């Protein structure tokens, strides 16, 4: 028996005797048991990713609120709830999910530009920790709803620090042209107004500048701009109990080298200390960096199809399972689950069965494969299953959580019955 060889950048995936395993569980055996496409997650990768944040905040008053839109499966949420995390949610549905997973409502923060009155009432009723308010209009509505409900809503206002996170335009959120947050120059006036509203209690300030950020500098830039505002707001006599710097830290998809969460926060804390805010309560809202490289998607090669210009490798996973390439031209590594000795490597476009030319998973990939082989699409823990759809009446994939030698099916494959159940014919 050979020693398992770890995949570079993926410490919880290894090749043992030519076969990929996640922690100590073989992907071939999981695919045989549960079918494909199949998402498989390493629990240890998630806990290690969380530990990097905890190391960075050692000795500080800090709370990690997992941004569940990255992966909101109950089995994943339970891992973070048991580890003591708070949660960042963006809908009433996400609130119901975190509560079902055992979250403490006081550790839940509610972000998003379009909260409905019903969602506000739902969050007030369970007593969430904070609403991250994103506009002046939302402030007025939340105040009115809170008064109607006989409660006070704890709020933070999301500031748009106008910092370029140098990431894909669709996942840049802190620039002037984005729909998120309120403009920097309006912030003091908005806080003064918020403090005067009887249904609201000002508790903090927040920002979130984008996603898949692989550099410390945009964070440091946002930090200085937020702290300038904190000083200006507190001069008016309003106290901000917490500072929330959002999420956005990137992961290694293709040799990317984001800083570790501990490294990032050592640098952030140096600046916070220098400006006298190091002992303030700190909140972060990481999503991708807590789950992204925990997951792989196992898919079967249905056909190989030589073409005039391109060779296609048609697999049973598609853009409805793995939407990131179609949405953001994102790169996912694709590797065979079992090394093949025969044949030779061929350059393929790896595509799904969905009837769209945008349905590709990887372009120009050199693979030594044959019909029936399994492939693993790496870095599939974040923004894959959570964005999955039923396009082309494809059922959503199953999910397995691996911990050491143990594998738990945390979501069964969606059936056709699940899909058709909500529909009716005309009377
Ligand atoms: C999406 C989002 C996050 C998490 O972003 P990641 O890039 O996944 O870390 C955090 N906060 C808010 C407000 C978000 O919208």
């Amino acid at each position: 028996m050979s020693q398992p060889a770890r995949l570079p950048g993926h410490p919880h995936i290894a090749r043992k005797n030519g076969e990929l395993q996640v922690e100590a569980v073989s992907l071939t055996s999981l695919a045989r048991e549960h079918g494909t496409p199949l998402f498989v997650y390493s629990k240890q990768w998630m806990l290690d990713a969380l530990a990097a944040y905890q190391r960075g905040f050692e000795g500080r008053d800090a709370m990690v609120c997992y941004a569940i839109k990255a992966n909101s499966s109950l089995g994943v949420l339970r891992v973070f709830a048991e580890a003591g995390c708070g949660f960042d949610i963006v809908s009433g549905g996400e609130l119901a999910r975190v509560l079902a997973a055992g979250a403490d409502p006081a550790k839940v923060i509610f972000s998003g530009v379009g909260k409905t009155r019903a969602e506000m009432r739902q969050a007030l009723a369970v007593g969430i920790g904070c609403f991250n308010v994103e506009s002046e209009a939302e402030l007025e509505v939340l105040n009115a709803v809170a008064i109607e409900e006989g409660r006070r809503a704890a709020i933070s206002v999301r500031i748009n620090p106008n910092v370029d996170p140098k990431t894909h335009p669709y996942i840049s959120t802190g620039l002037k042209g984005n729909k998120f947050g309120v403009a920097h120059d309006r912030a003091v006036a908005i806080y003064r107004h918020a403090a005067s509203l009887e249904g609201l209690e000002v508790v903090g300030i927040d920002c979130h500048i984008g996603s898949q950020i692989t550099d410390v500098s945009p964070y440091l830039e946002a930090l200085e701009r937020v702290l300038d505002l904190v000083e200006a707001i507190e001069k008016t006599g309003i106290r901000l109990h917490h500072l929330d710097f959002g999420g956005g830290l990137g992961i290694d998809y293709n040799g990317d080298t984001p800083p570790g969460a501990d490294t990032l926060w050592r640098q952030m804390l140096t600046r916070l200390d220098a400006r006298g805010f190091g002992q303030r309560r700190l909140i972060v809202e990481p999503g991708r960096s807590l789950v992204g490289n925990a997951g792989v998607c196992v898919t079967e090669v249905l056909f190989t199809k030589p073409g005039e210009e391109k060779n296609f490798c048609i697999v049973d996973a598609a853009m409805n399972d793995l939407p990131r390439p179609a949405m953001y031209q994102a790169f996912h590594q694709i590797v065979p689950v079992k090394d093949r000795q025969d044949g030779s490597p061929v350059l393929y476009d790896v595509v799904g069965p969905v009837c769209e030319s945008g349905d590709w998973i990887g372009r120009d990939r050199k693979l030594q494969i044959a019909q029936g082989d399994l492939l693993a699409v790496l870095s599939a823990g974040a923004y894959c299953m959570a964005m999955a759809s039923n396009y082309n009446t494809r059922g959503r994939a199953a999910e397995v959580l691996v911990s050491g030698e143990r594998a738990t099916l945390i979501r069964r494959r969606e059936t056709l019955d699940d899909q058709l159940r909500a529909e009716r014919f005309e009377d």
Side-chain angles (χ1 to χ4, degrees), residues 67 69-70 88 111 158 208 210-212 246-249 285-288 383:
K69 74 178 193 288
D88 175 47
S111 300
R158 177 168 173 181
H208 170 72
S211 200
Q212 185 54 17
L249 186 58
E285 307 165 353
R288 189 190 312 270
Y383 302 108

Side-chain angles (χ1 to χ4, degrees), residues 231-311:
E231 286 166 354
I233 292 161
E234 294 199 330
K235 269 205 193 99
T236 71
I238 298 166
R239 169 82 180 171
L240 299 173
H241 298 280
H242 76 243
L243 315 178
D244 173 350
F245 292 100
L249 186 58
I251 60 165
D252 178 4
Y253 283 104
N254 186 24
D256 307 285
T257 53
D262 45 353
T263 308
L264 168 67
W265 278 93
R266 260 197 304 278
Q267 294 190 44
M268 295 283 276
L269 283 162
T270 301
R271 284 307 300 157
L272 282 159
D273 286 339
R275 294 190 61 173
F277 292 101
Q279 295 309 312
R280 203 61 71 94
R281 164 149 257 237
L282 302 171
I283 297 179
V284 285
E285 307 165 353
R288 189 190 312 270
S289 57
L290 290 181
V291 291
N293 268 334
V296 303
C297 180
V298 184
T299 182
E300 184 185 322
V301 176
L302 297 175
F303 309 107
T304 57
K305 178 175 171 178
E308 273 180 44
E309 284 183 6
K310 291 246 176 194
N311 297 304

Side-chain angles (χ1 to χ4, degrees), residues 333-367:
Q333 279 190 58
I334 303 172
V335 295
V337 166
K338 192 177 163 81
D339 280 335
R340 174 172 277 287
Q341 306 308 326
D342 59 326
S344 51
V346 172
L347 207 58
Y348 289 106
D349 274 10
V350 179
V351 301
V354 162
C355 299
E356 297 275 348
S357 293
D359 181 27
W360 57 276
I361 294 169
R363 288 189 165 140
D364 298 323
R365 304 303 175 85
K366 197 171 261 188
L367 293 165

